[in-house]
Amino acid sequence: MKNLFTNFFKFDYYKCSNNDIIKSMVSTCLVWLSLTLSEGIYVLIATNILNIKIEKLMDNSSLQGAIITLPSLVIMFLIVIILKYIKDDILKFKVGS
């Protein structure tokens, strides 16, 4: 069982060359980071500026609760684009060194 486990990861690592594993892990982390940031930013905007009650934002059992939280997806999309350009600039710098 141990040989099967280690051989699988060696094959997987060998198959993904040129730092593909690192790039995919960084991209996954950036998506989760942008999701967290977008939810936090939207909750602050919705509660402080738009005066929407936090109970309505956290109500995921109704259609109104789902529609109210749609702007957080737009914020997430913008954060993903910004972080993608930052990540690409960092990786260019690393590869260029």
Side-chain angles (χ1 to χ4, degrees), residues 12 25 29 33 48 52 54 75 80 89-91 93 95:
D12 194 30
M25 286 193 303
C29 290
L33 180 66
N48 294 333
I52 298 174
I54 195 78
I75 296 171
V80 165
D89 288 343
I90 290 172
L91 288 176
F93 179 72
V95 172

Side-chain angles (χ1 to χ4, degrees), residues 68-87:
I68 286 175
T69 58
L70 284 178
S72 70
L73 293 176
V74 175
I75 296 171
M76 180 185 151
F77 180 70
L78 295 173
I79 292 173
V80 165
I81 291 173
I82 291 168
L83 290 177
K84 180 186 176 301
Y85 286 121
I86 292 171
K87 178 191 74 145

Side-chain angles (χ1 to χ4, degrees), residues 27-41:
S27 296
T28 304
C29 290
L30 289 178
V31 169
W32 284 108
L33 180 66
S34 64
L35 177 65
T36 306
L37 286 173
S38 69
E39 288 296 320
I41 290 169

Side-chain angles (χ1 to χ4, degrees), residues 7-19:
N7 287 338
F8 173 74
F9 281 107
K10 285 179 186 176
F11 174 73
D12 194 30
Y13 181 73
Y14 178 73
K15 190 171 90 172
C16 298
S17 60
N18 297 331
N19 294 329

